Amino acid sequence: MGREAGSRREAVRAAAAEWAVRLSDPACAADTRAAFEAWRAESFENEAAFERAHAAWERTERLRAFKPGVAKPDADLFAPQDAPRRAFDRRSPWTLMAALAAISGVVGTGVMTATASTAYATDIGERRVVVLADNSRIELNTDSKVVVRYRGGVREVKLVKGEALFEAAADARPFVVKARDARIETRGGELSVRLGAENAAVTVRRGAVEVEPDGKGPARETKVAAGTAMVYGPAGSHAQPLSDAEIERALAWRQGAIALNGQSLSQAVAEFNRYNRRKVRIADPSIADLRLAGYFQSTEPMAFVTAVTHTFPVRASEGEDGVIRLARKG
């Protein structure tokens, strides 16, 4: 059984490495990308293997661009030093084999280990899954950044900005998330943390966590159970229970969606602006408190604006700056 499991892991890792290389080709066809999405959706194991392979491929890309001692990017990192220069063709079978070998080597040495500080970030509108060496999993939402460091028997992740979902693998070592001044600890729980302008919110999806809102020691810590959200900030902290449906709505961003359930128009606009460079503004304060409900694609603000103008007596106009402004009709 162990040999079969090992063979399967190797097969999954090899497939993930090949997908990482093929998808990096700008000429990659749509049907190839569709086949990849189907493969990745088959199992968490496939998804995790691909994230490792993708990270490794990105590292080889950086090596290719900044090879020591070379004045300009080397077109063929894998060629012998005394070989004639030739164009790097990712579609070449030989190049593909070399790339797969390079990825396997990097993954084998633990590209996702965090013996030193390692940062992961997303741009506006981007999401990213990071699988750590202990199989803990971090999902980064739009415009977010974390710094990972394993030290002193503690698995530590600092949320620098944005929002992330943390799934801590069961381990004897505590898994600690630092966000603002708080220290949030779990052993094998699943929680999301979101940083706001002043406050931060911790939502526990599974397991339990201990939160020290000011990071000043166990005497001040609060135990937060699954199905609970805790908001903390300079004015203090408070917790409230959430239903499964409320938690899933809060985490709809994992599917690229924004789930509204009674939020005001001003809240909805602020949420869409997190995911898009094209901004929406409320030009008329009298419409700011209109209440909305529904699911929207986070990166399609115009679909949201269209829904608003069709539902309420609201008009939209776009200025020379590209900002979409909402105001009451009439």
Side-chain angles (χ1 to χ4, degrees), residues 273-314:
N273 286 342
R274 293 176 64 209
Y275 295 87
N276 298 279
R277 297 187 184 280
R278 189 181 190 188
K279 302 302 181 184
V280 181
R281 298 280 185 266
I282 296 178
D284 183 352
S286 69
I287 64 173
D289 290 330
L290 293 174
R291 299 289 164 173
L292 301 93
Y295 279 77
F296 301 89
Q297 289 297 311
S298 59
T299 54
E300 296 184 8
M302 282 309 301
F304 165 72
V305 168
T306 299
V308 170
T309 57
H310 286 177
T311 306
F312 299 101
V314 172

Side-chain angles (χ1 to χ4, degrees), residues 47 51 112 118-132 137-148 157-167 177 191-193 253-256 274-275:
E47 180 181 4
E51 292 301 330
M112 302 302 284
T118 307
Y120 303 96
T122 54
D123 201 352
I124 294 176
E126 181 185 10
R127 303 190 310 279
R128 183 178 182 183
V129 177
V130 176
V131 182
L132 303 180
R137 194 167 181 264
I138 303 173
E139 293 187 42
L140 293 170
N141 197 4
T142 177
D143 194 22
S144 300
K145 180 180 179 180
V146 295
V147 177
V148 180
V157 183
K158 182 178 182 180
L159 180 61
V160 178
K161 65 174 181 176
E163 179 178 17
L165 177 72
F166 304 92
E167 185 176 349
V177 178
L191 63 144
S192 70
V193 183
W253 58 265
R254 300 173 66 206
Q255 285 76 46
R274 293 176 64 209
Y275 295 87

Side-chain angles (χ1 to χ4, degrees), residues 190-192 201-207 209 222-231 238-243 247:
E190 186 176 359
L191 63 144
S192 70
V202 180
T203 302
V204 184
R205 192 182 190 198
R206 178 175 54 83
V209 304
T222 301
K223 294 185 182 297
V224 183
T228 305
M230 178 179 181
V231 177
H238 67 275
Q240 66 179 42
L242 297 179
S243 67
I247 291 177

Side-chain angles (χ1 to χ4, degrees), residues 82-238:
D82 56 355
R85 289 284 176 87
R86 64 183 185 280
F88 183 81
D89 183 2
R90 292 179 177 176
R91 290 166 290 182
S92 162
W94 293 106
T95 301
L96 178 60
M97 289 173 62
L100 295 178
I103 291 177
S104 297
V106 175
V107 172
T109 59
V111 65
M112 302 302 284
T113 59
T115 53
S117 296
T118 307
Y120 303 96
T122 54
D123 201 352
I124 294 176
E126 181 185 10
R127 303 190 310 279
R128 183 178 182 183
V129 177
V130 176
V131 182
L132 303 180
D134 66 341
N135 286 325
S136 292
R137 194 167 181 264
I138 303 173
E139 293 187 42
L140 293 170
N141 197 4
T142 177
D143 194 22
S144 300
K145 180 180 179 180
V146 295
V147 177
V148 180
R149 186 171 185 180
Y150 288 8
R151 58 178 177 176
V154 177
R155 302 171 291 168
E156 181 182 291
V157 183
K158 182 178 182 180
L159 180 61
V160 178
K161 65 174 181 176
E163 179 178 17
L165 177 72
F166 304 92
E167 185 176 349
D171 196 299
R173 299 168 295 174
F175 187 97
V176 173
V177 178
K178 291 189 174 180
R180 294 266 162 75
D181 294 325
R183 184 181 189 276
I184 307 161
E185 179 179 324
T186 186
R187 296 279 174 170
E190 186 176 359
L191 63 144
S192 70
V193 183
R194 174 173 172 173
L195 300 180
E198 295 183 356
N199 297 327
V202 180
T203 302
V204 184
R205 192 182 190 198
R206 178 175 54 83
V209 304
E210 297 177 350
V211 182
E212 299 171 18
D214 54 11
K216 293 184 178 178
R220 298 172 179 267
E221 73 183 21
T222 301
K223 294 185 182 297
V224 183
T228 305
M230 178 179 181
V231 177
Y232 65 87
S237 63
H238 67 275

